[in-house]
Structure formats: C-alpha cells, structure tokens
Amino acid sequence: MAFYTSLSGLQAAQTDLSTISHNLANVSTNGFKKSRSEFADVIASSVALNPTQAVGSGTVVKANRQQFSQGNLVQTQSSLDLAISGDGFFAVKPKLDGPAVNYTRNGAFLVDADRYVVDGQGGHLQAYPVDGSGAVVASGLGSAISLRLPATSGTPVATANVGLSVNLPAGGALPTAAAFDRFDPSSYNNSTQTTIYDAEGNAQTLTNYFRRETAAAGTPPTSDWSVYSFVGDTALTSGGTAAVTVTFDASGTLTAPTGPTPYDAFTPANSPTTQTIAIDFGTATTQLSAPFDVAARSQDGVAVGQLQGVTVDSAGLVKASFSDGKSQVLGKVALANFSNPSGLRQLGNSYWSSTGLSGEPVLGEANSNGFGGLLAGTIERSNVDITEELVGLIAAQRNFQANAKALDTDKQLSQTIFNLQ
C-alpha cells in the first residue's frame, strides 16, 4: 500500500513540476494565463472502520486550474495593439466564413492583405456593426462582423471645369525654337501644373504650356499666345486643334477667349473612362510687365480619401481617418466573458474555446455590464510571476524528492521482509 501511496505523490509532484515549467516557458507570451495544480487526498474508508485508524491512500490531481488575473500592461506604438483592463476576452474567428469563434486576451492585432484586422494567427477580430454616430445597431455573437478597414472614403467626381488665372510677362521674348515641343524648354515661355481627378478619383496632372506667338504690335498693340495642354502624356485638343490662342490688348487685358474653352474627350492614363474638361482663363488673366505668376487656380473634381490611420477609444469604438479630412466609424470591438473562465479549454496561441464548464459566452461592450475598458497602444503580457514560480518549483522538487525517498524506504522494508529466514 505504501508503494502506491508514494507513487501517487511522485505523480502529483511531477504534474506540479510540469505545470510550473509550462508557466515559466510562457513568461513572455502575450495574453498567457498561468495555471495552478490543485490536489486532493485519497481516503478509503468503510462503515466498520474506526475513524481514528483510517490511513490515507495518497493523492490525486483534482484540477489544473487556470488563473485569469491581469497581466502587466505594456505600451506600444501601434494603435491596433489592444489590451483589456479588467474582465473580458476578444472574440476572434479563425476563418472568415467559419462558424467557430475563439477567445483571447492577446490584443496584438494587425491588418492583413485584405484589410481585415487580424491577430498573429490570422483570426479576424469581431466587432459590433454601428451607425454613423457610433451607436451599436445589432448585438450578440451572431450579429458580430469581422472588422475591416476601408481603403478609401467618399465618392469620386471627375474634373469637368478648371479655372486658371495667370500673368504672362509682357516683356517675354519669342521662343527660339520654331515649333512647340514640351520636352524642349526653348520652345515655350512658361508652364504650370494643376492636379485634376479622373472618374475613379485618381489624381492626374494637367500641364499648360504658354508659348508667345507674336510680339506686342498694332494700334492698340496686341499680343497672341498659344496654350498647349497635356494630361499626363496625353495631349488635349479643342475642336481638333492642339493649341488654344489667347490674346491681350495694349493694357494687358485678356480679349480672347471670352469664356471657358471646352476640350475634346480624352482617356486619362490608368482609367477606363473618357473625360472632358473645360479651361477658363477668366478675366484675371493678364499680360503685364511682372514675371509669370499663377493668380488663381481651381478645379471641381473630387478625389477619394485614402486611409491614413485608425484609432480605438476606451469604449472599443474603431474610427478610420482619411486624407480628405473625413473620418468613418467602422464598428465597436465586441468583448466576451464567462461565468467560469477557468473552465475554458486551452487551444494554444493564447486561444480559448467555451465548454460546458465555462458556460456560454456573454457578449458585451467595453466599460459596461462588468466588462473592462480597452487600452489602445497597449499589450497585456503574461501574468506569470517568475519569483513565485521559482519558489513553487523548489517546493515541487522537494515534494518529488520526499516521495521518492518514501518509495525507496518502502522498497528497503519489503526487501528486509523478503530476506527473513
């Protein structure tokens, strides 16, 4: 009997050593929760046995219980690094279209190639859908969505009208080159660039080249200039003509054209949609003795806003900001909790799944109904205390040695009995 009693003690000490070793091995694992081995004594008794003469039969492992105390919180530089200050778990889906949902305290999230917010294992962070004001429109695990960042915001509008008011120098000489060539600076006097947008909201560069065709002459003296326009490498034409002529009177006032000049349809580079624009030089375009200068520039196209950043507040509300100055609320991070977290099944990678012992997940929002708050730019580290574990490791080692000694003593006693003659 003593043999099996000592053997159960050895097995218990070995289990304790394994548990402590596992804790120490994961001291740097984000979101890891340590475990504690719990034991119970074994007593074999009967009604006829005198209680004062009962002898125990060893020990058994009662539970290897997980400890869900808060780990240390460490600040980081990523706004998608999230930590729960208090109770709760992040809900993640290992597969985008899969029904399974796992739970984790490791909030080291990032953005994958499809712009989904995922953890290191590719699990999709679950969030509640919200309206424009940030109010949750559907709750519960079945209503949660995989959080995804949009690439752009807004509706693009192709540029149709360009306003360009410039001053052309009255003393400008005629170009030395006989014909215009945009790659030859000697074939034109001045140039300017304006950003316009195609139907997809992509930025295109409109370049206007100004070439003086005649010196000031006549009574009153006038002067003519040709304006050549390009969008990227595409030359624009107006009524099939490559250049638009602008004329000034003796006072430097624009006399022609008197209104917007429509250009023929063209297809911008990397765009499948044709586009037409009109350029209005306006009454503010002059020919004075001052240097070349752009007095006013405008266009009516609208670009889509490009994603520039994402923030998560303490309530879990996720907002994306864009280059056009707009922001968009994407969702609210869903948190889950359990009546008995120690009953969760460990899956590895700081993942847990619900079981009958843990109870069904209770979904909620940060800072409400007993759920903790969210900290952005923060990671929860392991809750393993190295000093405590090392002390426990020494105690478990002593327990193992003591039970081994008891086993050896039982062996010697048995051998003595066998040697009796």
Side-chain angles (χ1 to χ4, degrees), residues 30 80-82 90-95 102-112 116-126 147 348-352 379:
N30 293 333
L80 287 178
D81 282 342
L82 305 178
F90 298 108
V92 294
K93 275 192 173 183
K95 294 183 179 179
N102 295 330
Y103 306 93
T104 183
R105 292 279 296 193
N106 183 3
F109 295 107
L110 47 89
V111 182
D112 68 4
Y116 285 100
V117 178
V118 299
D119 60 15
Q121 287 68 246
H124 293 75
L125 176 63
Q126 299 299 290
L147 188 61
N349 293 318
S350 297
Y351 274 3
W352 289 271
I379 285 291

Side-chain angles (χ1 to χ4, degrees), residues 288-301:
L288 303 175
S289 57
F292 176 80
D293 180 59
V294 178
R297 191 198 315 267
S298 64
Q299 61 88 32
D300 59 359

Side-chain angles (χ1 to χ4, degrees), residues 16 20 23-24 27 34-37 67 69 383-396:
D16 200 13
I20 295 173
N23 292 341
L24 289 171
V27 69
K34 65 182 180 180
S35 297
R36 182 181 67 200
S37 296
Q67 307 297 305
S69 58
N383 66 347
V384 176
D385 185 325
I386 296 180
T387 303
E388 179 184 352
E389 297 300 320
L390 290 177
V391 171
L393 185 65
I394 295 172

Side-chain angles (χ1 to χ4, degrees), residues 62-142:
K62 184 179 180 181
N64 202 26
R65 198 175 303 279
Q66 301 174 77
Q67 307 297 305
F68 284 91
S69 58
Q70 181 86 49
N72 292 329
L73 302 180
V74 180
Q75 291 186 338
T76 68
Q77 301 298 318
S78 173
S79 61
L80 287 178
D81 282 342
L82 305 178
I84 303 172
S85 179
D87 295 331
F89 295 82
F90 298 108
V92 294
K93 275 192 173 183
K95 294 183 179 179
L96 181 60
D97 300 323
V101 176
N102 295 330
Y103 306 93
T104 183
R105 292 279 296 193
N106 183 3
F109 295 107
L110 47 89
V111 182
D112 68 4
D114 297 319
R115 304 190 308 280
Y116 285 100
V117 178
V118 299
D119 60 15
Q121 287 68 246
H124 293 75
L125 176 63
Q126 299 299 290
Y128 293 126
V130 296
D131 58 19
S133 65
V136 175
V137 297
S139 59
L141 191 58

